[in-house]
Amino acid sequence: QVQLVESGGGLVQPGGSLRLSCVASGSIFSRYDMDWYRQAPGKQRELVAGITRLRNTNYADSVKGRFTISRDNAKNTVYLQMNSLKPEDTAIYYCNAHLSTQNYWGQGTQVTVSS
């Protein structure tokens, strides 16, 4: 079992930055591939960024060049640095850990981009 707790969301103006954190507990964090997803009102949950246990990364086209995913295995934490935020980035952001058939989700953190 893996427990995931996200933090760092909030209200930010367009063009601003936020850093989301997701702390994992309950298992060997370094073994898991980690992803950030988001879900806006009325829309499906979508993959924003991912980082494998080997630190390979991938990004949705809509966030490339603006968002950076990273992980600190010593702190059991995955981060999402979000720069140049746009109103369309407004959503609940969820952390996901997966390994083989195991799949775990956090409770989400709200990000609102508005002037």
Side-chain angles (χ1 to χ4, degrees), residues 52-100:
T52 70
R53 60 186 180 91
L54 299 179
R55 301 180 185 272
N56 297 313
T57 59
N58 63 282
Y59 298 92
D61 287 343
S62 59
V63 307
K64 281 181 182 176
R66 300 189 298 123
F67 290 11
T68 303
I69 189 170
S70 61
R71 65 191 297 161
D72 185 338
N73 289 341
K75 296 182 178 180
N76 287 359
T77 302
V78 62
Y79 303 98
L80 186 67
Q81 177 66 45
M82 305 186 295
N83 299 327
S84 303
L85 283 161
K86 305 175 181 180
E88 51 264 42
D89 295 318
T90 295
I92 300 174
Y93 284 70
Y94 297 91
C95 179
N96 174 268
H98 55 100
L99 170 65
S100 183

Side-chain angles (χ1 to χ4, degrees), residues 11-17 83-89 112-115:
L11 173 64
V12 63
Q13 292 186 342
S17 298
N83 299 327
S84 303
L85 283 161
K86 305 175 181 180
E88 51 264 42
D89 295 318
T112 303
V113 184
S114 174
S115 55

